[in-house]
Amino acid sequence: MMKCLLTSLLILASAVSAAGSTSFSRSVSPASLFGIRGGGLFGGKDGGKANDDAAAPKFPAMTQEEVEEWLGHIPVFAVTDKNGAGVVLKPDDETSVFYFFMSPIMANATLTQLKSANSELDLQVSAFSLGKIWFKILNADEDAEVKIKQPNDAEGEAQLTKGVEYRLVPDTRDLLGARMLLTMDEKDGEALKKGGTLTPEVAQAAIKKAMTASPKFNNTYNEIPVFMIQQMRMMKPPAEGEQPDAAPDNTILPMYFNLQNMVSIWQQFTSQSEEAKNMEPNINLMDLFELVSKMQEESEIDFRNVLLVPPTPPNAGGPAAAGPGASPQSAGGDLQMPGDTLGDL
């Protein structure tokens, strides 16, 4: 049933013409996957603990520096001026908002909207490391002062202000995929399997249910779905001069921002593995903010052996198309890397 459900999710999610994503420096292909593995991760369908064994080893909390490095290869995108200074939007007189996007296409859509309102604005979409901004900006003190001034006013005097709200916006397709995972049940899967094809009526019903009945991921920002298949592992890259080691304790759990990327990798891998061919994937879903919070606590999960896989552009030709040398420019127009943080926003 789960395989049918996953296929249905991909078809339904593809109907949402929202946004694409890009890759910074890492990708995962079926060839890099080591094998499957049982055991708990974040709990099964009963929502239990990762491991009820009192003798299970505890791994120390990750430091802020480790978390920053863990997130460092993930790109996020924002509208800035040519110097990399961010554009703060004011939806009303009381609110100042700055948006980071997981998708460069969504960032470019915002850029187009701003330029259509004022064609004289000299703006661009810039890429930033999620690790560099996670603590310094996204989770900084809400009362921290920042300098703001009018766009294109190089000679103008910057003013100090407080209370700028920073929002991290997920890819709309993956947000919908997360809601579907939380709302599609066995009855829905069997109905789709019985029907054989996905009719517009069935698709609309599933989307409506996901949009109205999901218990989580109902915000359009600061809730970032992260997908993982519990049984899937990949080999750690060997250190320089060492040979690859296929021992179970030398594997990494990949976690994905992009649902379609994860499912495609799993399907390709299982088609090449007799051991996994008939196995139903045990999918886990978490919010990135909750995940990072768990990483900073003592845990039965060794988060140091978890790899966060960047999203793949929708037109990149498949989940393995973006190689280690992929650049942000490959998926979203004129993208520049201005620096570690936004500086004086």
Side-chain angles (χ1 to χ4, degrees):
M1 191 279 294
M2 181 61 73
K3 291 180 180 179
C4 175
L5 186 149
L6 289 176
T7 302
S8 303
L9 282 174
L10 292 177
I11 297 173
L12 290 169
S14 66
V16 182
S17 56
S21 307
T22 189
S23 175
F24 232 23
S25 61
R26 303 185 188 181
S27 63
V28 177
S29 66
S32 68
L33 292 174
F34 166 68
I36 57 176
R37 181 174 177 178
L41 181 63
F42 299 107
K45 294 180 180 179
D46 59 355
K49 293 182 179 179
N51 194 332
D52 292 328
D53 185 359
K58 293 282 189 177
F59 296 95
M62 293 178 67
T63 65
Q64 177 173 322
E65 290 73 20
E66 286 179 308
V67 173
E68 288 176 341
E69 182 179 357
W70 188 74
L71 294 169
H73 64 288
I74 303 298
V76 291
F77 306 91
V79 178
T80 72
D81 65 14
K82 292 299 182 182
N83 297 316
V87 177
V88 176
L89 305 179
K90 293 186 70 66
D92 54 61
D93 293 337
E94 304 297 326
T95 309
S96 297
V97 181
F98 184 83
Y99 290 95
F100 290 103
F101 297 90
M102 298 298 298
S103 161
I105 297 177
M106 294 177 70
N108 271 305
T110 301
L111 173 65
T112 300
Q113 186 176 11
L114 291 174
K115 285 188 172 181
S116 65
N118 188 341
S119 59
E120 296 181 359
L121 292 176
D122 188 15
L123 303 176
Q124 66 181 23
V125 170
S126 299
F128 297 87
S129 161
L130 182 57
K132 295 294 185 180
I133 69 166
W134 186 265
F135 294 103
K136 295 177 181 178
I137 296 180
L138 284 176
N139 293 279
D141 184 355
E142 293 181 358
D143 292 326
E145 291 186 334
V146 295
K147 294 179 180 179
I148 61 173
K149 61 181 180 180
Q150 293 296 323
N152 297 345
D153 187 6
E155 304 299 327
E157 183 177 350
Q159 298 179 341
L160 288 175
T161 187
K162 294 182 180 180
V164 174
E165 182 180 348
Y166 299 99
R167 297 178 179 179
L168 181 60
V169 180
D171 189 312
T172 309
R173 298 169 305 151
D174 298 315
L175 190 63
L176 177 59
R179 291 173 178 175
M180 288 182 173
L181 278 175
L182 293 173
T183 55
M184 291 186 73
D185 53 28
E186 187 173 350
K187 181 180 178 181
D188 296 324
E190 290 299 327
L192 289 170
K193 185 176 181 180
K194 183 178 180 181
T197 58
L198 188 67
T199 65
E201 292 77 14
V202 172
Q204 287 299 322
I207 292 174
K208 182 178 180 180
K209 185 177 180 180
M211 298 299 290
T212 58
S214 178
K216 197 173 182 180
F217 297 107
N218 292 309
N219 292 328
T220 56
Y221 60 89
N222 292 355
E223 276 193 311
I224 310 299
V226 178
F227 307 92
M228 67 215 80
I229 294 178
Q230 182 175 304
Q231 304 101 315
M232 191 158 61
R233 296 295 188 277
M234 60 178 290
M235 285 193 302
K236 289 182 182 178
E240 187 175 353
E242 293 184 356
Q243 295 297 319
D245 183 1
D249 60 355
N250 198 46
T251 59
I252 295 175
L253 170 67
M255 295 185 177
Y256 297 81
F257 285 110
N258 183 259
L259 175 62
Q260 183 170 0
N261 186 14
M262 181 190 72
V263 175
S264 297
I265 291 290
W266 174 260
Q267 290 174 332
Q268 293 179 48
F269 171 65
T270 54
S271 69
Q272 302 168 15
S273 169
E274 290 297 327
E275 181 184 7
K277 186 166 294 184
N278 296 318
M279 179 175 290
E280 290 187 353
N282 187 349
I283 296 178
N284 287 269
L285 172 64
M286 284 198 73
D287 169 51
L288 179 64
F289 287 83
E290 294 178 355
L291 179 61
V292 171
S293 179
K294 284 182 177 291
M295 295 171 69
Q296 296 176 277
E297 302 172 355
E298 188 180 55
S299 174
E300 294 175 357
I301 303 165
D302 185 6
F303 286 109
R304 293 173 178 84
N305 283 321
V306 171
L307 171 66
L308 197 57
V309 181
T312 300
N315 58 350
S327 163
Q329 278 96 339
S330 64
D334 184 20
L335 302 178
Q336 302 295 326
M337 193 66 181
D340 289 346
T341 70
L342 290 172
D344 293 333
L345 198 63

